[in-house]
Amino acid sequence: MSATKALDAKAAISPAGSPQQSSPTLLQRLKKIFSAGPVMPGESYGAPGRGKSAAISLVTASALLLLWFVTTTAGWIDPMFLPSPVAVLARFWEVLTEGFANATLLEHTGWSMMRVFGAFALALVTAVPIGILMGVNRVARGLFDPIIEFYRPLPPLAYLPLVIIWLGIGEVSKVVLIYMSIFAPMALSARAGVRSVAIEQIHAAYSMGASRWQVIRHIILKSALPEILTGMRIGIGFGWTTLVAAEMVAAQAGLGFMVLNAAEFLVTDVVIMGIVVIGIIAYLFDMLMRYAERKLVPWKGK
Amino acid sequence: MSRLQIHDVSVVYPGINGGEQVRALSDINFTIEPGEFVVALGASGCGKTTLLSLMAGFISPTEGYLTLGDSQIDGLPRVACGVDLADQIDGPGKERGVVFQKHALLPWLNVIENTEFGLKLQGVGKAERRQRAASFLKLVGLEDFHRHPVYQLSGGMQQRVGIARALTNDPKMLLLDEPLGALDALTREVLQELLLDVWKETQKMMFFITHSVEEALFMASRLIIMSPRPGRITHEFELDFNERFLECRDARKVKSMPEFIEMREQVLSIIHGDEAAGGLH
Ligand SMILES: Nc1ncnc2c1ncn2[C@@H]1O[C@H](COP(=O)(O)OP(=O)(O)OP(=O)(O)O)[C@@H](O)[C@H]1O
Ligand SMILES: [Mg+2]
């Protein structure tokens, strides 16, 4: 309210204030974006972040691309710092067909995906059960909690040397490093999911004659599912983050290796191309996970 | 069938973060006989839900004990963190069905799956449990909502699913925590009569919590009135308006009888007296 008043006062003082009166001012528009606003049936007044954002995201992405294109083709930036999109595309094709650092793009991608998704699958079958166990059993919680809480905040680069000393420089140590970075967030999410179950639902099941095992299976696991899926999304993100660190040591192929190798020789277009490929794969997988969330846990947040 | 007895029970909730302890129930002695319909009435926070949780076996008393027939029902070990599934003796059981005040339906199951859930746990075949669940859903007026997700139902409809679910499981004793609180007047009357019919037919023991004086008088064969801080049972009345209804099938007539109105005034004055004396916060 007071903001509008101040604005009116300004408009009155300014002699050229007529266009401000006819069309809404910037401030008014901003206020509209951040106010609760009217709602459609099925939506809720005042729900945080209500409304669609896809169009805005598309505009942001296109603007950034355009900016990249204009600044580089105009020659304002040295291609060694930032090559043009065209150069990156050309390089993409070249690496796809002829390869870079003794492997084609598909081989690099294949190796990296095998490492990340292999570690992810391993974490899925170990971290989720352990997280659930930590939620339902105090012995398991006491056992695993200090271990996970201690190593979780450490950067993977810090324990990479140790992993190499213990497991060598082969494929195992790479997968283990990625696995460790995925394990903690996934286990903690599963545990938080177990803790989020409504006690009334557990009571209801017991009052209908459920055994303890039935309560875990039919109530606790179901309740924990949304958070387990969130944990999977967070976990795979950590996996991609750790990939480059894992491929720093004695890798023959892999997207992280390719980027590092290209950086050493200042082949900037390969660096950017590698980053974009990693980004796209990670994004596609995230979309897949969100789709799975909508299908598997439609009650989430209800 | 066997009676449920509460022996010298007190419940003290520990203070949260060093706060003051809450004496939710104090020296309760109380018996529910087979075939009785007991209604508990009292101001918010006087310990009605706590009393029900004791009977259901969800909490253990701080002092005293509970028995159902010859067996002691000790309840879950106190659950501080919410879901610490420590070993338990007796505790809740399928002979004591519960209709909860809120939050107890399972959002990953639709209406009929929620209703048949108890039978599924007990290994009843799908065709039979579907049929039994459907018949109770029809009784509560939800026959057209079998496949609806429960989180898209209104509060009153969710409560009706809760009632149908408890009835489908066919317990010996039914514990109902404000089961009709969120319903409109008409549906409320229909379900009051439905519960009385079920009671008459099956002779289940009923423990029913409500805030409505009229509902309490209409449903109860015994009415207990509770008062807060500490939660106690202050008055008990033997009533027979439910029997009168079951004879004449005319709820309006029963509720306008002079005895009913007189009783209502008496109960209201007790409650208002309590509130004046205890003082609402
Ligand atoms: N888990 C708990 N921890 C601590 N205090 C509790 C807990 N549950 C209930 N209390 C306290 O015990 C007292 C009785 O609560 P209870 O839920 O039994 O009341 P009620 O009669 O069911 O009220 P309402 O009619 O509002 O449902 C209240 O003062 C409440 O604050
Ligand atoms: Mg209550």
Side-chain angles (χ1 to χ4, degrees):
Chain A
M1 276 312 242
S2 55
T4 341
K5 254 184 206 155
L7 213 82
D8 285 348
K10 244 190 207 164
I13 294 164
S14 149
S18 45
Q20 283 180 333
Q21 279 158 5
S22 55
S23 66
T25 63
L26 186 66
L27 204 79
Q28 279 166 334
R29 283 177 195 217
L30 271 177
K31 268 179 79 179
K32 194 169 163 244
I33 288 175
F34 286 101
S35 71
V39 290
M40 304 288 286
E43 295 179 342
S44 202
Y45 181 89
R50 195 180 47 79
K52 294 194 167 66
S53 61
I56 301 172
S57 302
L58 206 68
V59 171
T60 314
S62 328
L64 281 174
L65 269 177
L66 194 72
L67 191 71
W68 180 18
F69 186 80
V70 170
T71 48
T72 47
T73 40
W76 297 335
I77 298 180
D78 183 343
M80 204 187 76
F81 286 108
L82 186 64
S84 75
V86 182
V88 172
L89 257 176
R91 183 65 90 165
F92 173 76
W93 184 249
E94 189 194 311
V95 179
L96 195 64
T97 49
E98 288 161 35
F100 180 86
N102 301 323
T104 66
L105 184 59
L106 281 181
E107 284 167 328
H108 286 305
T109 311
W111 276 102
S112 288
M113 282 178 72
M114 221 166 66
R115 285 167 192 148
V116 172
F117 287 111
F120 178 73
L122 268 180
L124 195 61
V125 296
T126 52
V128 172
I130 285 175
I132 289 167
L133 215 60
M134 284 170 75
V136 299
N137 184 286
R138 70 189 181 90
V139 176
R141 185 166 62 246
L143 208 64
F144 290 107
D145 195 66
I147 304 173
I148 294 179
E149 287 301 346
F150 176 74
Y151 95 81
R152 185 179 62 93
L154 297 176
L157 272 176
Y159 49 80
L160 173 64
L162 203 59
V163 173
I164 290 170
I165 292 171
W166 287 349
L167 299 169
I169 53 171
E171 210 53 45
V172 177
S173 63
K174 295 182 184 58
V175 173
V176 164
L177 191 76
I178 300 172
Y179 166 79
M180 284 176 73
S181 73
I182 301 179
F183 183 92
M186 242 153 104
L188 292 182
S189 296
R191 170 184 160 176
V194 169
R195 292 299 191 86
S196 73
V197 53
I199 191 68
E200 287 87 353
Q201 293 172 351
I202 292 181
H203 284 166
Y206 276 126
S207 305
M208 289 187 283
S211 65
R212 179 176 164 174
W213 168 242
Q214 281 178 319
V215 166
I216 293 179
R217 194 176 98 130
H218 291 291
I219 311 288
I220 293 178
L221 285 186
K222 292 282 169 51
S223 285
L225 195 57
E227 297 227 25
I228 290 174
L229 288 171
T230 307
M232 285 165 68
R233 276 175 65 190
I234 297 174
I236 195 85
F238 275 86
W240 287 110
T241 312
T242 315
L243 175 72
V244 179
E247 290 181 349
M248 269 167 62
V249 184
Q252 302 303 317
L255 289 170
F257 159 78
M258 181 185 85
V259 169
L260 288 168
N261 193 288
E264 228 168 283
F265 300 104
L266 291 178
V267 193
T268 318
D269 36 17
V270 172
V271 173
I272 291 183
M273 190 266 288
I275 291 171
V276 171
V277 170
I278 293 176
I280 288 175
I281 296 172
Y283 184 72
L284 286 180
F285 186 77
D286 200 58
M287 298 278 281
L288 192 74
M289 285 300 301
R290 283 196 223 184
Y291 175 78
E293 248 176 25
R294 277 199 302 278
K295 287 287 152 199
L296 290 173
V297 292
W299 69 87
K300 187 181 178 183
K302 297 284 167 56
Chain B
M1 229 187 297
S2 40
R3 59 155 67 119
L4 186 138
Q5 275 183 293
I6 301 175
H7 308 264
D8 292 317
V9 158
S10 299
V11 173
V12 180
Y13 287 112
I16 300 153
N17 296 333
E20 234 178 281
Q21 291 184 341
V22 179
R23 200 168 180 84
L25 288 177
S26 186
D27 299 316
I28 304 281
N29 274 294
F30 178 59
T31 305
I32 302 181
E33 300 290 345
E36 247 192 327
F37 199 125
V38 176
V39 175
L41 190 66
S44 189
C46 70
K48 304 183 295 296
T49 301
T50 305
L51 186 56
L52 183 139
S53 306
L54 278 170
M55 298 186 197
F58 302 148
I59 59 173
S60 306
T62 315
E63 293 155 28
Y65 62 101
L66 287 87
T67 51
L68 181 66
D70 292 330
S71 49
Q72 187 170 341
I73 40 175
D74 270 344
L76 288 162
R78 188 64 47 71
V79 276
C81 67
V83 275
D84 209 11
L85 301 177
D87 284 326
Q88 51 200 290
I89 333 109
D90 274 338
K94 69 168 188 288
E95 75 285 351
R96 281 161 289 151
V98 181
V99 177
F100 290 83
Q101 205 167 356
K102 54 182 195 268
H103 300 317
L105 295 178
L106 309 175
W108 48 90
L109 301 179
N110 64 27
V111 168
I112 193 150
E113 287 165 346
N114 261 284
T115 312
E116 68 177 10
F117 185 68
L119 297 179
K120 184 177 170 190
L121 290 175
Q122 289 153 39
V124 176
K126 181 157 180 174
E128 190 192 338
R129 63 177 199 248
R130 274 284 140 107
Q131 189 204 333
R132 275 164 70 181
S135 71
F136 282 104
L137 281 177
K138 192 164 159 47
L139 276 180
V140 299
L142 290 175
E143 65 269 36
D144 296 331
F145 291 89
H146 285 189
R147 312 226 159 273
H148 267 248
V150 286
Y151 53 83
Q152 282 176 5
L153 298 178
S154 73
M157 289 157 101
Q158 292 184 3
Q159 273 190 330
R160 283 187 272 162
V161 177
I163 293 170
R165 177 173 75 173
L167 289 175
T168 305
N169 217 32
D170 195 23
K172 288 197 183 75
M173 178 174 192
L174 209 49
L175 305 161
L176 307 107
D177 198 347
E178 290 180 44
L180 312 181
L183 299 178
D184 63 282
L186 189 65
T187 316
R188 192 171 181 144
E189 278 173 18
V190 171
L191 286 178
Q192 285 174 355
E193 295 174 14
L194 164 72
L195 284 172
L196 285 181
D197 284 334
V198 170
W199 171 64
K200 183 75 187 169
E201 200 179 303
T202 60
Q203 285 294 300
K204 287 183 202 306
M205 292 156 83
M206 298 283 207
F207 181 76
F208 184 105
I209 295 174
T210 180
H211 275 135
S212 155
V213 174
E214 191 157 277
E215 181 168 272
L217 294 174
F218 182 66
M219 307 288 282
S221 43
R222 190 143 56 96
L223 171 66
I224 61 173
I225 301 180
M226 298 176 67
S227 81
R229 270 163 309 244
R232 286 167 293 126
I233 299 175
T234 54
H235 299 78
E236 281 193 47
F237 296 98
E238 300 280 340
L239 300 171
D240 65 347
F241 297 111
N242 52 12
E243 300 283 356
R244 295 194 208 187
F245 164 75
L246 289 167
E247 268 162 40
C248 73
R249 313 281 328 160
D250 186 347
R252 300 268 291 280
K253 188 175 144 201
V254 172
K255 285 176 187 174
S256 55
M257 283 175 175
E259 301 98 301
F260 191 94
I261 293 169
E262 193 183 316
M263 198 65 221
R264 193 179 67 201
E265 291 311 310
Q266 194 183 339
V267 170
L268 279 172
S269 67
I270 290 170
I271 290 175
H272 288 165
D274 265 3
E275 284 181 2
L280 282 178
H281 11 266

